[in-house]
Amino acid sequence: MINYFVISSNPLDGDMFNHLFKYHSGIQYNGQAFTSNSGLAIIKEKKPELVFLEIKPIDNTIYIDIIKIIKEIDPLNFLICFSLSEQFELLQSAMDFGAYSFLSAPIDRKRITRIVENINNSIEKKEYLINDASHDISYKNIFLRCLNCTCTELEIVFDEIWEAYLNKDDYHFSRVVNKCQKFSTEFYYYLVETYVDKINETIIIIYNNFMLDITKVKTKNEIKSLLYNFAKDCNCTINKDQHDLSRELVIKAKKLISQYINEEKQISLENIAVEMFMSPSYLSRIFRKIEGIKYIDYVNLYRLDKAKVLLTTTNDTIESIACICGYNEPNSFRRLFKQKLGMTPNSYRKIQRQIDDKSSNPS
C-alpha cells in the first residue's frame, strides 16, 4: 500500500487526487498541507512514500528549494510535481532536482495510474529512486555527438552513451526512467538555446511525445528504444532530414483520423492536432506536403470510402450512413458523394448490388 500526501495551496487538490485514485486499492490518501512549512513537517514525521507537490511559475524558485529539501529529508521519497501551467521550464526544474514525474492540468487518470503502478513496482522490488542532483554531469559534448553524426553512426554513439551514463549495472528501473527524462529535457533545452534558427514545432512535438510515452514503458529495453528514437528524431530535425519525420507524423495523423471516424468522434483538424501535441497550421502544412492534398480533402475521401463499404454491405438508410461517416446533414453528404463519384449514394448502392448479383449468379 502506497501512502501519499499532497502539498498545495488549493484546498480542493487533495480531494481531486483522492477522486482520481477512487478505484485504485493500492494507494491511500494521507491528507493535505496548504503551506510548504507544514508539508515539510509532516513529511519529516510520517515519511510518506509519495508526495504530490503543486508548483507555480511565479514561485518556481521557492518550490525548487522545497523539492531539494524534501529529497534531503527523505531521498527514497517519490515526488510528483503538478501545475496548472504547461511551461517546460517548470518541468525541467522539477526533474533536475529530483522529482520523479510532472503532471499538467487537466490531470489524466490513466497516466497518473500508470505512474503510480511503476512506483509501486519499484517499492515492491526495493528499487528506490536515488537523487542524482549531486552527481550531475554536463551533457553538452554528448548532445553534440548525437547531432554531428549520421543516423547509422548514431546507433553506435547512443549505445556508448546508454551504457556509460544512463544504464549502469546497479541502476534500477525507476532511476533509469528518471535519468532519461532528465537527459531528454536537457537535450530539448540545449536544442532550443543552440539552434534557434533551426528549431520549429517539430522539436516540441518530439519532446512532448517522448515525455508522454516514457510513462508507459515497462522495461529498460523499451526505455532505451524510446530514447534512441528521440535522439534520432532530434538529429533528423536539426540536420534538415525532416521528410521521413514528417511522413511519420502524417501516418500517425491518418491513424487517428481512421480511429476517430470509426468511433464516430468529432474529427476537426484542431482535435487531431491537440492529440498529436502540435498546432493545426503545422499539421495542415505537413499533411499537404506529404499527401499532396489538403487535410479536409483526405478526411472526406476517407469518409466516402467508408460510406461506399456501408452502402454495399448494409441496408442502412442514407441518412444513417451519412451520420456514421461524420456528416450531420444527409444532403451535404449526397452532394459531396455525387461530386466525387459522379452518382448519388442510392445509385452507387444499386449498381454495386447488380455487380454482386452477376458475380454470384453468372449466366
Side-chain angles (χ1 to χ4, degrees):
M1 176 72 70
I2 297 176
N3 294 306
Y4 75 95
F5 184 70
V6 178
I7 302 177
S8 171
S9 58
N10 184 344
L12 298 179
D13 282 341
D15 290 336
M16 174 190 70
F17 283 106
N18 197 23
H19 177 73
L20 286 170
F21 296 120
K22 184 178 180 181
Y23 303 107
H24 198 295
S25 59
I27 185 165
Q28 180 174 317
Y29 177 48
N30 270 11
Q32 175 179 351
F34 303 110
T35 67
S36 57
N37 288 336
S38 59
L40 292 172
I42 291 173
I43 291 172
K44 284 181 182 178
E45 178 186 352
K46 296 186 176 181
K47 295 288 183 69
E49 292 96 341
L50 173 60
V51 172
F52 290 98
L53 172 68
E54 179 194 26
I55 58 176
K56 303 173 183 177
I58 192 171
D59 297 324
N60 190 16
T61 304
I62 296 173
Y63 281 94
I64 292 309
D65 288 339
I66 296 171
I67 293 173
K68 291 192 286 186
I69 294 170
I70 290 174
K71 298 306 292 185
E72 288 170 1
I73 292 172
D74 184 6
L76 305 184
N77 177 273
F78 288 87
L79 177 62
I80 297 179
C81 298
F82 67 98
S83 175
L84 293 176
S85 170
E86 294 184 355
Q87 293 186 32
F88 290 121
E89 287 82 358
L90 290 178
L91 169 63
Q92 182 188 36
S93 298
M95 301 303 296
D96 279 351
F97 290 97
Y100 179 78
S101 191
F102 185 95
L103 302 169
S104 295
I107 295 174
D108 180 82
R109 185 194 297 270
K110 290 183 179 178
R111 177 169 184 253
I112 195 173
T113 299
R114 283 195 300 268
I115 293 172
V116 170
E117 286 173 352
N118 285 337
I119 290 174
N120 193 41
N121 289 336
S122 296
I123 291 174
E124 288 178 356
K125 296 176 183 177
K126 301 186 183 304
E127 294 180 343
Y128 297 117
L129 179 65
I130 298 173
N131 183 11
D132 286 328
S134 60
H135 305 288
D136 286 345
I137 61 170
S138 172
Y139 285 125
K140 181 177 178 180
N141 291 333
I142 297 174
F143 298 153
L144 284 171
R145 290 183 67 197
C146 288
L147 296 170
N148 296 330
C149 64
T150 66
C151 285
T152 303
E153 293 168 340
L154 180 60
E155 287 190 50
I156 300 171
V157 170
F158 183 80
D159 280 341
E160 294 174 1
I161 295 169
W162 176 257
E163 296 299 333
Y165 302 107
L166 302 172
N167 184 39
K168 294 184 179 180
D169 291 339
D170 60 338
Y171 285 7
H172 49 71
F173 179 81
S174 297
R175 190 175 184 185
V176 173
V177 169
N178 184 256
K179 288 180 76 67
C180 289
Q181 286 173 322
K182 182 176 179 180
F183 180 91
S184 66
T185 301
E186 291 194 12
F187 201 171
Y188 168 80
Y189 276 97
Y190 174 78
L191 294 173
V192 170
E193 293 168 2
T194 309
Y195 297 91
V196 178
D197 58 326
K198 296 183 179 181
I199 292 297
N200 55 35
E201 292 169 86
T202 305
I203 289 293
I204 299 173
I205 296 163
I206 292 168
Y207 177 71
N208 274 338
N209 282 336
F210 173 83
M211 294 303 287
L212 178 64
D213 289 342
I214 200 170
T215 64
K216 306 173 187 176
V217 297
K218 301 294 183 183
T219 68
K220 288 184 179 180
N221 282 337
E222 289 177 336
I223 300 172
K224 181 180 179 181
S225 177
L226 189 65
L227 188 61
Y228 168 73
N229 287 328
F230 169 79
K232 183 179 70 174
D233 288 345
C234 291
N235 179 301
C236 291
T237 302
I238 295 304
N239 293 309
K240 298 298 183 182
D241 185 12
Q242 291 183 282
H243 183 78
D244 289 340
L245 188 59
S246 295
R247 184 174 295 280
E248 288 179 12
L249 292 172
V250 169
I251 289 171
K252 182 175 181 180
K254 288 165 72 173
K255 287 180 179 178
L256 286 172
I257 290 169
S258 173
Q259 176 186 326
Y260 273 44
I261 289 177
N262 290 331
E263 295 176 1
E264 299 181 34
K265 293 182 179 178
Q266 187 177 353
I267 193 172
S268 67
L269 175 65
E270 289 74 18
N271 286 347
I272 297 295
V274 166
E275 185 86 7
M276 295 182 64
F277 304 103
M278 57 200 302
S279 73
S281 60
Y282 181 69
L283 175 57
S284 178
R285 286 199 305 275
I286 65 168
F287 204 98
R288 187 164 189 174
K289 177 181 177 181
I290 298 298
E291 291 297 309
I293 59 174
K294 294 180 181 179
Y295 169 88
I296 189 62
D297 290 336
Y298 176 85
V299 170
N300 280 327
L301 288 174
Y302 192 97
R303 282 172 167 163
L304 291 177
D305 283 341
K306 181 174 182 177
K308 289 193 292 185
V309 172
L310 294 174
L311 287 166
T312 307
T313 60
T314 74
N315 292 319
D316 293 347
T317 64
I318 303 300
E319 289 75 12
S320 176
I321 290 174
C323 184
I324 291 172
C325 294
Y327 295 98
N328 295 326
E329 292 294 331
N331 287 336
S332 65
F333 166 68
R334 289 187 177 95
R335 283 195 300 271
L336 182 63
F337 195 98
K338 187 171 183 179
Q339 177 187 341
K340 297 295 184 182
L341 281 84
M343 65 184 79
T344 65
N346 272 326
S347 298
Y348 179 84
R349 170 178 270 171
K350 184 177 179 180
I351 291 171
Q352 290 301 312
R353 288 189 173 174
Q354 288 173 349
I355 293 172
D356 290 342
D357 287 343
K358 287 180 181 180
S359 298
S360 57
N361 300 299
S363 54

